[in-house]
Amino acid sequence: MSAHPSRELLERLAGARRVVAFTGAGVSAESGVPTFRTTDGIWTKFKPEELASMEGFMRNPELVWEWYAARKRIMAEVRPNPAHEALARMQALVPHMAVITQNIDGLHHRAGSTLVYELHGSIERNYCMRCGRRHSNDEVLRQTGVPCCLGCGGTVRPDVVWFGEQLPEEEWNNAVHASGMADVFFSVGTSGVVYPAASIPFIALDAGAYIVEVNPEPTPLTEKVHEYLQGPAGSILPVIVHTLDSRKL
Ligand code: OAD
């Protein structure tokens, strides 16, 4: 175990045709976005079934909207950190790069990653549960309480995946396809316990990718990976990208 990329990883990256980064809340931790299951994480203070499930929303939509409105305001303020930026820079150094994220914060896009599959939706989008009309954050945050559809008056919800809900089909299919094609696959900042997203690294592993995990703490994936880089993504990923970049000169 080390915090520094091995020579083998750098060589594999230099020769890779397809690279995938699969990310979780840890990649945004250094931007100030709270993680879920770490000490002090969101799910140590709040109940997921109350705030992130359809049953919880039906029971108390005001509470759920109060929480999402607060999260939307926090996430509008945060900025990509060196980990997001390194992944965005990596796409210029390899022929094909995809980011598969469980995060809803949009920070990979904002850092400049162009191919991003958002498995759990996006905090930046909302839709009417009756007619499907899309609503911007500005539109919903202008209303007080539970926002109503500007078209049909139905209830608007955040376009995020709640517990018990299906993942967006196209994003999921694209993520599975990209993982099966990857030569090098990074799993970054995820505890790897929420399925089906947590099966993504195993698809890449089974298909023969070189699997690298970046996380300060071991996870259920750690013993299966080819390389475990222990530490914060904002320190480790920039070193990988910098070294890869200087080798290409
Ligand atoms: P978790 O909170 O479960 O895990 C965060 C992971 O990030 C942990 O393994 C930490 O050790 C690691 N971590 C913390 N700081 C880090 C850093 N600076 N660099 C790298 N890693 C760091 O978050 P997720 O695995 O993303 O789902 O959680 C998966 C899903 O559970 C979320 O998408 C969300 C949640 O409930 C939904 O809302 C549907």
Side-chain angles (χ1 to χ4, degrees), residues 24-26 30 36-37 43 102 120 161 163 189-191 194 215-216 233:
E30 292 159 80
F36 294 96
R37 293 175 186 77
W43 297 150
Q102 298 162 89
H120 290 166
V161 175
F163 286 96
T190 176
S191 57
V194 175
N215 198 316

Side-chain angles (χ1 to χ4, degrees), residues 87-111:
L87 292 175
R89 273 172 48 217
M90 199 183 279
Q91 77 187 1
L93 302 174
V94 298
H96 188 276
M97 167 104 198
V99 175
I100 303 169
T101 190
Q102 298 162 89
N103 300 343
I104 59 174
D105 56 32
L107 288 176
H108 288 299
H109 282 298
R110 283 161 62 189

Side-chain angles (χ1 to χ4, degrees), residues 176-236:
V176 168
H177 179 73
S179 304
M181 301 285 284
D183 301 308
V184 178
F185 181 100
F186 291 91
S187 179
V188 184
T190 176
S191 57
V193 296
V194 175
Y195 282 82
S199 63
I200 287 286
F202 293 95
I203 294 169
L205 184 68
D206 289 348
Y210 188 79
I211 313 286
V212 183
E213 183 174 45
V214 179
N215 198 316
E217 304 292 333
T219 72
L221 181 68
T222 308
E223 60 179 30
K224 310 265 192 240
V225 302
H226 298 98
E227 195 155 329
Y228 172 41
L229 300 174
Q230 187 165 30
S235 307
I236 290 175

